[in-house]
Amino acid sequence: MRRILLFLCFVHFSNQTFSQHSIARKWNEVLLEAIRNDFARPTVHARNLFHTSVVMYDAWAAYDPVATTYKLGKDYSIGSCFFEGVSAPSDIQAAQTMAISYACYRLLTHRFEFSPGVVESQELFDNLMTELGYSVDHITPDYENGDPAALGNYIAQCMIDFGLQDGSNEQIDYGNIFYSPVNPSMAPALPGNPLILDYNRWQPLSLDLFIDQGGNPIPVTTPDFLSPEWGKVIPFALKREDLVINERDGFEYYVYHDPGYPPYLLPDDENMEEYQWGFSLVSIWSAHLDPSDGVMWDISPNSIGNVSSLPNNTNELRNFYDMIDGGDPSAGRTVNPVSGQLYQPQIVPRGDYTRVLAEFWADGPDSETPPGHWFTIMNYVNDHPLFEKRYKGAGQILSDLEWDIRSYLALGGAMHDAAVTAWGIKGWYDYIRPISAIRAMADLGQSSDNSLSSYDSRGIPLLEGYIELVEEADPLAGESNENVGKVKLRAWKGPEFIEDPQFDKAGVGWILAENWWPYQRPTFITPPFAGYISGHSTYSRAAAEVLTLLTGDEYFPGGLGEFEAKANEFLVFEEGPSVDITLQWATYQDASDQSGLSRIWGGIHPPVDDVPGRIAGIKIGIDAFQLADNYFSGTITSTRSFTEDHKINLSIHPNPSIKGKEVTVRLPDNGNKGLLSVIDLSGKVLLNREINAHQSVIKLSTATLHEGLYIVRLNQPRSSFSVKLVLR
């Protein structure tokens, strides 16, 4: 139900039917649906969105007289993609449409081959090709005769080959090679956190049944950390100067836009109080999830949004968040600058607003994940009747196809870089989540008064009305007063108070801190990866920067973006909201800021996870857009900062190749003689070829070789180069 609501609410401005959308938009829509059918892996799908945007872009740019291709014609030691151009066809748009379609079809068929929703997703891919009148059996990548379908197949194969070498570990289903958690797992269904060893590091969770945010049952009940080594994935626009390489347990962790260490729960750590403050704030904000508490808020742009600056230090961080009442220092806006009209107040229960916020930005179940969520927002913007597709807000109106191609590459690059950045930081700092930290601190006791029971300097701070100790005669004391002296919290009471989420709500009340839950489903609880920094905050601010630069306007079309959540229809975790809620944003930044706050109300992140994600997102979004802009204008002087790092030394085209077919070997341009050898996996040399100092390219026959994997090696006086060759 929620998937339908989300789609309808985001396209309700559109007068276009699916058949009237550009070919890029059509493939983006089926990709988003395939993501919803797949496991909810934000890093993997940020990469899928980016790589699909790249193959679309290259299939379009190959026929464009100005734009520079991204992978086509680029020489990398990782994922070379030779291209000598194509002759101009009589119908350029028809050629672009065909090349885009075959490129997307081949790539998505490959990427979703092992998805739990492969049947539904493959049917979408097949049906779109059928609708377009294209045969899926046309598989040749030999585009030299000018066949756009073959060019699309070739572009897809280039990306597939690149993806198997880009550091994502796609070959092992994106699994981890080196990382292992330091903490034993916690079973949230049991009280407390008795097994934790390190209060500052990530802790796995063990559930009777784990269902991810895509609604997919996961076969293991203690999920691994998703993508802790993702910092080593080759990015789009991240720069070498933004990178710090750290080493732990024999593995190098790549960290871009390093935010520094978060506060730790260590008595000798000067920032220990910040740890206690941040995680206790999460528990206090949990008390805001009650629509019947009488607190009413204006959630229109008149009161929400327009944050002028972000905190730069600890004191500013504390002042940025309202610990008791919730929210940030939003100034709001009185007048819509587009319409010239006042923003109309929307007064609703705070508890409805916070619950809708938590679920909307969590975008699950049936999730297209946060990077995909921002593609749906972009598509919503593109369909708005007041929106004009003028690049950077100026010049002539672009065709739907050119606009979509440009916007998807810029946003896809930003989402991919946000994943590389955020998960690189997550993997290195390996920081604890609120459910682990709150329960662990409460198990230690309270840290506010050493004259009271349960004192421990590392415990949770007391705050009257929100964090207190259980006393005798307290309803939580227990039959034998066994809970007297324990910490109790005024918070969302948790899933055990909900029998049927269509009719029940847990509400807010006093609970033992050892039983605290985030505002999530009992089959999910918390994403299976470290908290610091927030992926939502990073993705969202990066996307907001791209949308602002792309459209030339910080405001949504018409000065207002909206999402409707109908009373008692939208929430999944419990009944609600109690009234109709319309989320409203004046600017893209307002929406991204709201995303960061939603994760605190949802019990997923403390403030220290949020702000560094926003700060990193600003840099990521701007850099991604600027690099994409250079490609669009044909002014790119070098592919990116990593081009030199991955400059080709020895490569083969095509690779994989067909047994018996001649292949082209590109040689290092170093002026040295050498011996080129083809070696099988047993180490036997099958072919030798002398190379003179002036050769840069040679043709190599594979007529005497069989199907399989070979090593092609070039030995020179002071160097040696090797590359794998696959024959099919």
Side-chain angles (χ1 to χ4, degrees):
M1 179 63 170
R2 184 186 181 281
R3 180 193 303 175
I4 297 171
L5 282 172
L6 179 61
F7 181 77
L8 289 178
C9 289
F10 264 141
V11 301
H12 74 279
F13 280 130
S14 177
N15 293 318
Q16 292 179 301
T17 65
F18 183 76
S19 63
Q20 293 173 313
H21 284 305
S22 79
I23 192 62
R25 172 67 176 273
K26 291 178 181 180
W27 281 107
N28 180 253
E29 292 287 4
V30 298
L31 167 57
L32 290 170
E33 192 63 20
I35 291 172
R36 296 177 190 118
N37 293 333
D38 194 27
F39 296 116
R41 300 178 288 189
T43 50
V44 172
H45 294 310
R47 175 176 173 269
N48 282 333
L49 285 158
F50 172 53
H51 286 184
T52 304
S53 298
V54 167
V55 300
M56 286 185 190
Y57 172 77
D58 272 2
W60 173 84
Y63 298 97
D64 186 82
V66 176
T68 301
T69 54
Y70 179 73
K71 280 199 67 63
L72 274 177
K74 302 301 186 296
D75 293 348
Y76 305 109
S77 60
I78 296 179
S80 298
C81 191
F82 293 105
F83 181 63
E84 297 179 353
V86 290
S87 57
S90 57
D91 188 336
I92 291 178
Q93 185 166 333
Q96 290 172 322
T97 297
M98 181 176 284
I100 288 169
S101 295
Y102 276 89
C104 290
Y105 181 81
R106 298 293 171 212
L107 178 63
L108 299 185
T109 296
H110 167 77
R111 289 287 171 83
F112 291 91
E113 181 180 5
F114 302 108
S115 166
V118 61
V119 174
E120 296 87 347
S121 297
Q122 191 62 51
E123 185 177 9
L124 288 171
F125 308 152
D126 291 343
N127 287 346
L128 182 50
M129 292 293 278
T130 299
E131 175 192 315
L132 295 167
Y134 300 147
S135 170
V136 299
D137 296 325
H138 188 54
I139 62 174
T140 177
D142 297 328
Y143 64 87
E144 288 85 354
N145 64 356
D147 179 6
L151 178 61
N153 290 334
Y154 177 68
I155 291 170
Q157 191 60 55
C158 284
M159 185 57 78
I160 291 168
D161 294 343
F162 172 77
L164 296 174
Q165 307 172 72
D166 69 345
S168 66
N169 299 336
E170 182 183 335
Q171 305 94 316
I172 55 172
D173 197 26
Y174 310 100
N176 303 328
I177 298 176
F178 291 93
Y179 175 88
S180 62
V182 299
N183 281 311
S185 65
M186 179 181 77
L190 302 177
N193 191 358
L195 300 180
I196 191 168
L197 301 175
D198 191 327
Y199 296 90
N200 306 300
R201 301 281 293 276
W202 180 73
Q203 182 179 38
L205 299 181
S206 293
L207 309 175
D208 292 334
L209 173 65
F210 180 73
I211 299 177
D212 73 6
Q213 282 187 281
N216 300 294
I218 305 301
V220 294
T221 55
T222 305
D224 292 335
F225 189 134
L226 174 72
S227 308
E229 300 159 9
W230 205 261
K232 297 191 81 168
V233 174
I234 295 176
F236 173 57
L238 298 177
K239 301 181 178 70
R240 171 63 69 180
E241 55 265 32
D242 297 329
L243 174 65
V244 175
I245 300 176
N246 301 300
E247 190 274 334
R248 182 176 69 230
D249 300 331
F251 181 75
E252 289 183 339
Y253 287 85
Y254 280 38
V255 176
Y256 295 90
H257 302 299
D258 187 1
Y261 286 91
Y264 288 150
L265 191 69
L266 296 169
D268 58 351
D269 190 310
E270 62 182 10
N271 290 319
M272 185 172 78
E273 289 186 1
E274 303 313 314
Y275 178 110
Q276 295 165 312
W277 166 80
F279 287 108
S280 63
L281 179 143
V282 176
S283 77
I284 292 168
W285 281 28
S286 180
H288 301 160
L289 301 168
D290 183 3
S292 63
D293 63 6
V295 179
M296 305 295 288
W297 274 10
D298 176 12
I299 64 167
S300 74
N302 188 61
S303 298
I304 301 290
N306 196 16
V307 173
S308 58
S309 62
L310 294 173
N312 292 308
N313 54 51
T314 298
N315 289 333
E316 290 183 5
L317 190 70
R318 286 206 183 204
N319 292 330
F320 188 77
Y321 300 91
D322 189 328
M323 188 169 195
I324 302 303
D325 294 325
D328 58 19
S330 291
R333 297 171 174 83
T334 304
V335 178
N336 181 329
V338 178
S339 68
Q341 303 297 311
L342 298 177
Y343 283 113
Q344 294 302 308
Q346 183 190 172
I347 310 298
V348 301
R350 177 184 61 180
D352 280 329
Y353 171 69
T354 54
R355 292 187 301 157
V356 167
L357 219 61
E359 289 208 28
F360 174 79
W361 288 109
D363 50 271
D366 299 325
S367 167
E368 64 268 347
T369 72
H373 197 165
W374 277 97
F375 271 79
T376 68
I377 292 174
M378 174 176 278
N379 289 336
Y380 160 87
V381 169
N382 293 344
D383 287 345
H384 197 290
L386 296 179
F387 181 63
E388 292 185 337
K389 297 176 179 178
R390 300 183 191 274
Y391 184 59
K392 296 193 281 191
Q396 64 182 8
I397 294 177
L398 300 182
S399 69
D400 289 348
L401 177 58
E402 183 169 355
W403 175 266
D404 289 342
I405 289 291
R406 292 188 182 208
S407 61
Y408 291 160
L409 181 67
L411 183 60
M415 296 299 90
H416 179 62
D417 283 358
V420 173
T421 299
W423 268 258
I425 292 168
K426 288 176 184 287
W428 170 242
Y429 289 107
D430 198 31
Y431 201 49
I432 194 168
R433 288 281 191 172
I435 188 170
S436 296
I438 290 170
R439 289 193 181 195
M441 283 194 296
D443 284 352
L444 292 170
Q446 55 85 17
S447 59
S448 295
D449 190 339
N450 60 10
S451 68
L452 297 177
S453 62
S454 309
Y455 176 77
D456 190 297
S457 64
R458 299 167 299 162
I460 193 168
L462 300 177
L463 183 63
E464 186 177 357
Y466 295 95
I467 307 173
E468 299 180 359
L469 294 179
V470 176
E471 299 178 350
E472 292 187 15
D474 190 304
L476 296 174
E479 292 183 2
S480 304
N481 287 328
E482 65 270 17
N483 295 326
V484 171
K486 288 184 177 181
V487 177
K488 67 176 182 177
L489 306 174
R490 184 168 172 267
W492 185 66
K493 291 191 292 185
E496 67 178 84
F497 289 85
I498 301 170
E499 284 191 28
D500 187 337
Q502 292 189 52
F503 304 103
D504 302 331
K505 64 176 183 293
V508 167
W510 287 102
I511 61 171
L512 293 175
E514 65 189 24
N515 296 325
W516 182 85
W517 287 75
Y519 181 64
Q520 304 289 328
R521 289 171 289 127
T523 52
F524 177 70
I525 304 179
T526 290
F529 41 83
Y532 184 75
I533 57 177
S534 167
H536 273 69
S537 299
T538 312
Y539 284 127
S540 297
R541 189 53 184 268
E545 297 297 329
V546 168
L547 281 162
T548 298
L549 293 167
L550 181 73
T551 64
D553 191 348
E554 63 180 314
Y555 285 86
F556 276 86
L560 188 65
E562 294 186 312
F563 172 83
E564 297 175 5
K566 292 295 185 181
N568 296 321
E569 292 183 9
F570 176 71
L571 297 185
V572 174
F573 309 150
E574 60 182 356
E575 184 191 34
S578 65
V579 298
D580 290 349
I581 295 285
T582 302
L583 298 182
Q584 296 179 314
W585 321 283
T587 69
Y588 305 117
Q589 180 186 321
D590 291 346
S592 73
D593 288 345
Q594 194 183 78
S595 173
L597 294 178
S598 76
R599 303 303 274 171
I600 303 177
W601 273 306
I604 300 300
H605 287 291
V608 74
D609 294 356
D610 175 27
V611 168
R614 300 195 204 187
I615 292 172
I618 294 170
K619 301 170 185 174
I620 292 165
I622 292 172
D623 286 348
F625 180 80
Q626 289 177 343
L627 181 59
D629 185 50
N630 288 338
Y631 278 103
F632 304 152
S633 63
T635 59
I636 192 77
T637 55
S638 63
T639 50
R640 43 173 308 282
S641 59
F642 282 94
T643 299
E644 280 65 42
D645 297 343
H646 299 296
K647 190 66 178 175
I648 186 170
N649 293 315
L650 181 69
S651 67
I652 299 173
H653 166 70
N655 189 13
S657 186
I658 305 299
K659 180 182 71 72
K661 183 175 180 178
E662 192 175 62
V663 296
T664 300
V665 181
R666 183 76 172 266
L667 304 169
D669 185 17
N670 57 14
N672 293 323
K673 296 180 179 181
L675 179 67
L676 187 73
S677 304
V678 177
I679 306 167
D680 67 16
L681 294 184
S682 70
K684 182 180 180 181
V685 177
L686 305 178
L687 295 173
N688 277 324
R689 178 84 171 268
E690 294 285 346
I691 305 298
N692 66 47
H694 304 292
Q695 286 181 290
S696 59
V697 176
I698 67 166
K699 299 291 185 179
L700 189 67
S701 172
T702 65
T704 61
L705 304 178
H706 301 288
E707 293 181 358
L709 177 65
Y710 299 89
I711 302 298
V712 178
R713 177 176 298 162
L714 176 64
N715 289 315
Q716 293 182 316
R718 292 180 295 275
S719 58
S720 177
F721 307 100
S722 297
V723 65
K724 294 177 182 177
L725 169 63
V726 177
L727 296 181
R728 293 172 175 170

